[in-house]
Amino acid sequence: KRTSAMDEPCKQSGNMMDEFFHENDYHVSRRIYSNQGFDQVHERQAQEIQSLRERLSRTCGCTDKWAVQKIKGLLPILDWLPKYPVKQWLPGDAVSGVTTGLVCCLQVLTLAPDEHFLRSVNITGVNETVTDERLMEIDVEAREAQRILVACTMTVLVGLFQVAMGLMKVGFLVRYLSDPLVGGFTTAAAFHVFISQIKTILSVPTYNHNGFFSFAYTLIDVGRNINQTNIADLIAGLLTIFIVMAVKEINTKFQHKIPVPIPIEVIVTVIASAISHVMDLNSQYGASIVHSLPRGFAPPQTPNIALIGNILGSSFSTAVVGYAVAVSVAKVYAAKHDYTVDGSQELIAFGVSNIFGGCFSSFVASTALSRTAVQESTGGKSQVAGIISALMVMIVILVLGPFLQPLQKSVLAGIVIANLKGMFMQISEVPVLWRQNRTDCLIWIATCLASIVLGLDVGLLAGLVFEMGTVVVRTQFPSCATLGNVPNTDIYKNMKDYKNVRFTFFYAVGFDAVRVFKKRNKALKKIHKLIKKGKLQATEDGLVPVASLGVENKAFEKVQVPELEEGASQPDSEVKVQVDWTSELPVSVSVPRVHIHSLVVDFSAVSFLDVVATKSLKLTVKEFIRIGVSVYIAGCDGELVRRMEALSFFDEEVTRDILFLSVHDAILFIQLETSTGNEEDPLAEKVKL
C-alpha cells in the first residue's frame, strides 16, 4: 500500500500516543494477597469498641473551640453576619424585604369554620327583646378567640416536635428528597398557588377546598360563578401580571448595569393603592379590597393544655409536612445559588420560632412558596431580607395599615402569579431528565401529578413512596457483568464493552447450581440402581459397564474388576466414583454442563449486607461448592468483612480463605492452584454399594 504525504501526520500522531502510553506505564511487584494473608502480614489492628459512657464523655467533652463551633452551629447568624457584604447584598435584601413584607401582611387565613360559632339572633321590639331560635348569626368574637387559641396551641406543639426531631438529628431525612422529587413537588405547589389566586384575580365566590382533587373543585366553583367576575379586579390583576413580568425581564437583562433591581412590586402596590383610593373602586365598581388591617399585637398567652389530645396527631403530621415542604423549597434555591441545607438546623430553627411565635398568637411557620419566590426574584441574598421583611410587617401593623386598606386583592394575586414563573420553568427539566435518566423523570412526573391530584401533603408522601419503590426495584434487578482481563494488567472490564479484553479465565455462569446438584443426584441414584442390578460394576477407580449393555460407556474409566472367591458376596461399602459430568452418561438424565471450576465475585461495589443478604450469599456459595465450583469474593472493605463475621457468614465450609483483596489476586491464586494441582478432584462423588 502506497503512503501519501497526508498519512505522515497520522503516523506521527500514532507514534506520539504510543510514546505517551509507554511513558505512563507503571509496574508493581507484590505477593498475592487474600484478606486473611494481608491482615497477618500488615498486622491488622482490632477495632476499638467504646462503651456508651466513653462515647458520651468523648462527645460531650467541652473545650473553648468546641463550644464556639456548637454555638455558631446553633445560631448561624453569629457566623455569617460579621462577614456580610453590605455594599453588594444590602440593597437587594432591602428591596426584597420590603416587597415580601408587603405581600405577607396583606393576605388573610381561616383557622376555624364559621358553623361552630352560630348563635340565635336577638330581636328587639318596642317593649321587649326576644330570641328567635330560627335565625342564627355568627359570634365573631368567640370565633376569633377560638381560632387564636387553637392556632397558638398547635403552633407551640408543632415547635416542640420540630425541636425534638432536630436534636435527634432527624434532619438526615432531607437526603431522601431527591432533586427530581423536589422539582415535581414544588412545581405542583406552584400550580396550587396559581389556582388559589385565579379566584382572587376574577373576584368570584368559591368554597375553601382541601385534600383530594381540591384544585378541580376550585375550578368548578370558578366556572359556575364566572358570570360574577368583577371587571375592575380582572383588569387590575392582568395589568399587574404583565407589568411585573415585563419589569423583571428588564431586571434580568440589565442586572449587571442596574445596581439595585427595580422594586416593581412595591411600586405597583403603592400606585394601585392610590388609584383605588382616588377612584373609590370598592364603592363605584365593587372591587374586592384589603379593607381593615388589624393594628397592634395580641398579648402573650399560654397554650390550652386541654386541646393537646385533640391536635396531637395533626400537630406531628404538620411538623413533618411543614418541614418537608420548607426543605423542598430550600433545596431548589440552594441548588440555584450554590449553598447547602442543614436539615437538622432547619428543624431547630422552625421549632424555636414556632414555640416563641405560638406564645404570641401566631400560627405555624413554614415556607410559603409564593413569598419565597417574591423574595428571591426581587434580589434577596441573605436572611437580612427576612429581617427587613419582618420589620416591614411590623411597620404595616403598627403604622401603615390604613394606607394600604384600599389596595385591590387582585393586585396582590397578580404579584404572586408573576413571581411563580421560575417555579413553572422547572417543567423544562422533564425532557432533559427523560434523556438523562428515565427513572428520575418518572419520579418527577409521579410526584408532581400526585401532589396536584392528592394535595401537597399526601402527594409528597406518595412521591416519597414512589421514589423508594424505584430504589427497591433497581436493587432487586441489579445489572451484572461478566468481567474479562485486559492483557498484561490487573484491570477487569465488562466483556461486552471492550474488544481487547481477554476471555481466558472468565465465563458467564449460565447454569443454576441447585438444578445441577439435583440432576446429578438423580443421575447417581440411577447409577446406583444399575450397579445393584449388576449392569454396572463400581471400583475405586471408576465404573465398569457390563458387556451385555452392548455399548461402550465413555463416561467412566474401564478397569479390571478383581474376581471374588466362590460363595463370597459384594461388600456393602462406599467407593469413590470418578464421574466425568461433561461426557455422555450411562443413564437417561440430562445434567446441565458445568464448564467452570472457580467463580470470582467482585464485591467492590457492595456497601452493606443485612441478615437476609448474608444468609442468601452463604447459601449460594455452598450451592456452588457442592457441585465442585470454588467461590471467591474480592474487593470487600473492612466494615463489610466485620459485618460478615458478626452475621456468622463463615464456618467450616465457607472459610475466610475465600476473601481476596482484589479480583486480580483471586485470579492469580486460582491459576496458581490449578497449575500446581493442589486441588482435590471436586468431581469425585461417593456412591454407597
Side-chain angles (χ1 to χ4, degrees):
K1 180 180 178 181
R2 290 189 300 175
T3 304
S4 65
M6 295 293 293
D7 294 327
E8 292 303 321
C10 296
K11 285 186 176 180
Q12 292 177 5
S13 176
N15 292 334
M16 290 175 64
M17 291 298 293
D18 291 340
E19 291 178 5
F20 172 78
F21 285 117
H22 181 71
E23 290 176 359
N24 284 275
D25 287 350
Y26 71 92
H27 303 275
V28 176
S29 177
R30 65 171 176 85
R31 61 179 295 179
I32 300 171
Y33 279 125
S34 66
N35 276 38
Q36 199 167 6
F38 185 85
D39 292 345
Q40 291 174 354
V41 171
H42 296 280
E43 300 181 0
R44 179 185 176 187
Q45 297 179 351
Q47 193 175 32
E48 183 182 358
I49 301 176
Q50 294 181 329
S51 65
L52 178 61
R53 182 178 179 180
E54 289 173 336
R55 279 183 285 178
L56 289 174
S57 175
R58 184 175 179 180
T59 303
C60 300
C62 185
T63 62
D64 293 342
K65 187 176 180 180
W66 179 89
V68 170
Q69 289 178 344
K70 288 297 180 183
I71 292 173
K72 286 185 176 181
L74 191 62
L75 300 172
I77 191 172
L78 299 178
D79 186 41
W80 62 261
L81 189 58
K83 308 172 187 176
Y84 182 76
V86 178
K87 291 183 180 180
Q88 291 87 354
W89 285 8
L90 186 57
D93 281 340
V95 172
S96 175
V98 171
T99 304
T100 309
L102 286 175
V103 175
C104 287
C105 66
L106 295 175
Q107 295 195 351
V108 296
L109 177 69
T110 300
L111 300 177
D114 292 341
E115 296 81 16
H116 293 177
F117 303 97
L118 297 177
R119 64 182 179 185
S120 302
V121 176
N122 293 329
I123 302 176
T124 303
V126 178
N127 297 320
E128 61 180 352
T129 299
V130 296
T131 301
D132 190 344
E133 298 291 341
R134 296 170 298 177
L135 299 177
M136 308 294 288
E137 67 176 1
I138 297 174
D139 188 345
V140 178
E141 292 184 3
R143 180 192 65 184
E144 296 302 323
Q146 183 64 16
R147 286 178 177 178
I148 292 173
L149 191 60
V150 171
C152 69
T153 303
M154 186 172 183
T155 300
V156 171
L157 194 55
V158 167
L160 291 173
F161 278 127
Q162 290 175 331
V163 169
M165 289 190 291
L167 293 176
M168 292 188 293
K169 302 297 181 182
V170 181
F172 73 90
L173 294 174
V174 71
R175 301 172 189 170
Y176 296 100
L177 299 175
S178 65
D179 290 344
L181 183 141
V182 169
F185 175 75
T186 51
T187 302
F191 176 81
H192 279 289
V193 173
F194 175 76
I195 293 297
S196 69
Q197 301 303 317
I198 287 179
K199 61 183 180 182
T200 307
I201 291 282
L202 299 174
S203 191
V204 295
T206 61
Y207 292 102
N208 290 323
H209 300 288
N210 294 300
F212 297 177
F213 297 100
S214 59
F215 78 97
Y217 295 130
T218 301
L219 290 177
I220 291 172
D221 289 345
V222 170
R224 280 192 191 135
N225 301 315
I226 195 70
N227 58 336
Q228 301 181 40
T229 300
N230 187 285
I231 302 301
D233 284 334
L234 178 61
I235 293 174
L238 294 178
L239 280 174
T240 300
I241 295 173
F242 174 77
I243 293 171
V244 171
M245 293 185 72
V247 175
K248 283 187 173 297
E249 288 297 323
I250 295 174
N251 284 339
T252 303
K253 189 173 182 179
F254 299 100
Q255 59 181 341
H256 298 296
K257 298 181 180 180
I258 303 175
V260 179
I262 300 173
I264 187 61
E265 290 87 356
V266 176
I267 295 172
V268 167
T269 301
V270 173
I271 294 176
S273 297
I275 293 174
S276 178
H277 176 70
V278 172
M279 298 183 65
D280 195 11
L281 296 179
N282 179 240
S283 301
Q284 297 295 328
Y285 300 98
S288 178
I289 63 174
V290 174
H291 284 297
S292 61
L293 289 173
R295 301 188 65 179
F297 295 99
Q301 60 177 331
T302 57
N304 187 348
I305 305 299
L307 291 173
I308 290 180
N310 297 327
I311 61 175
L312 190 65
S314 58
S315 296
F316 180 75
S317 62
T318 301
V320 174
V321 173
Y323 164 73
V325 172
V327 171
S328 297
V329 176
K331 288 191 70 175
V332 172
Y333 292 105
K336 185 175 181 180
H337 296 284
D338 193 25
Y339 63 87
T340 58
V341 177
D342 185 343
S344 298
Q345 179 63 25
E346 293 292 315
L347 276 170
I348 294 174
F350 273 120
V352 171
S353 64
N354 281 327
I355 293 172
F356 182 80
C359 296
F360 289 87
S361 305
S362 172
F363 56 86
V364 178
S366 184
T367 296
L369 180 61
S370 57
R371 284 106 163 146
T372 306
V374 169
Q375 178 169 315
E376 191 270 342
S377 63
T378 51
K381 299 292 184 183
S382 70
Q383 290 91 330
V384 171
I387 296 173
I388 295 174
S389 176
L391 291 174
M392 187 65 199
V393 173
M394 184 179 70
I395 292 171
V396 169
I397 291 175
L398 296 177
V399 180
L400 299 180
F403 297 99
L404 296 174
Q405 290 176 3
L407 180 65
Q408 290 172 270
K409 292 181 180 179
S410 62
V411 173
L412 292 173
I415 291 174
V416 170
I417 291 175
N419 282 283
L420 291 176
K421 178 186 173 183
M423 291 290 108
F424 283 120
M425 289 302 293
Q426 293 181 116
I427 297 175
S428 62
E429 298 174 2
V430 176
V432 178
L433 277 176
W434 182 257
R435 291 191 296 268
Q436 293 177 342
N437 189 311
R438 294 189 176 182
T439 302
D440 285 343
C441 183
L442 291 176
I443 291 172
W444 196 105
I445 295 172
T447 305
C448 184
L449 292 178
S451 299
I452 289 174
V453 174
L454 305 178
L456 294 179
D457 48 358
V458 179
L460 179 61
L461 178 61
L464 279 169
V465 171
F466 183 83
E467 182 182 48
M468 293 296 106
T470 63
V471 174
V472 172
V473 170
R474 283 181 283 185
T475 304
Q476 293 301 313
F477 302 98
S479 60
C480 298
T482 303
L483 302 179
N485 177 241
V486 178
N488 303 318
T489 71
D490 61 349
I491 300 172
Y492 293 83
K493 289 293 183 181
N494 189 347
M495 297 286 299
K496 295 180 180 179
D497 294 339
Y498 299 91
K499 291 183 179 179
N500 300 324
V501 174
R502 191 167 58 189
F503 199 71
T504 305
F505 219 73
F506 278 84
Y507 294 88
V509 174
F511 59 83
D512 182 353
V514 176
R515 184 170 179 269
V516 172
F517 181 74
K518 289 181 178 179
K519 288 289 186 179
R520 287 186 179 182
N521 272 346
K522 186 176 180 181
L524 287 172
K525 287 179 181 178
K526 289 195 173 185
I527 291 172
H528 186 195
K529 289 180 181 179
L530 290 176
I531 292 174
K532 280 196 168 183
K533 290 179 180 179
K535 295 182 179 181
L536 284 177
Q537 291 182 348
T539 69
E540 293 184 357
D541 297 320
L543 292 174
V544 178
V546 178
S548 61
L549 291 177
V551 295
E552 183 178 355
N553 188 348
K554 297 180 180 179
F556 306 99
E557 299 179 10
K558 287 186 176 181
V559 296
Q560 185 67 32
V561 182
E563 294 183 0
L564 298 174
E565 296 181 4
E566 187 177 353
S569 60
Q570 182 75 20
D572 187 11
S573 61
E574 284 189 353
V575 179
K576 277 190 176 181
V577 180
Q578 299 294 334
V579 182
D580 185 1
W581 296 105
T582 62
S583 301
E584 184 180 352
L585 298 176
V587 292
S588 58
V589 178
S590 177
V591 179
R593 302 291 177 89
V594 178
H595 297 285
I596 63 174
H597 57 75
S598 302
L599 176 66
V600 179
V601 185
D602 185 4
F603 259 42
S604 58
V606 178
S607 58
F608 75 97
L609 285 173
D610 57 15
V611 175
V612 177
T614 304
K615 287 183 178 179
S616 300
L617 179 62
K618 186 174 183 178
L619 179 61
T620 302
V621 171
K622 287 189 173 183
E623 287 170 353
F624 277 98
I625 290 175
R626 68 183 181 181
I627 64 169
V629 178
S630 301
V631 179
Y632 302 94
I633 300 176
C636 293
D637 62 20
E639 183 60 31
L640 201 61
V641 175
R642 282 189 286 271
R643 291 294 300 163
M644 288 178 169
E645 293 171 346
L647 294 170
S648 303
F649 177 76
F650 303 106
D651 56 20
E652 294 180 358
E653 190 173 4
V654 182
T655 66
R656 290 170 178 79
D657 294 332
I658 69 172
L659 300 181
F660 283 83
L661 284 189
S662 68
V663 173
H664 199 57
D665 283 295
I667 295 300
L668 294 177
F669 173 79
I670 295 169
Q671 289 176 335
L672 185 64
E673 287 291 300
T674 53
S675 63
T676 56
N678 291 338
E679 286 187 321
E680 286 189 12
D681 187 351
L683 301 179
E685 302 285 353
K686 289 184 179 180
V687 178
K688 187 175 182 180
L689 303 179

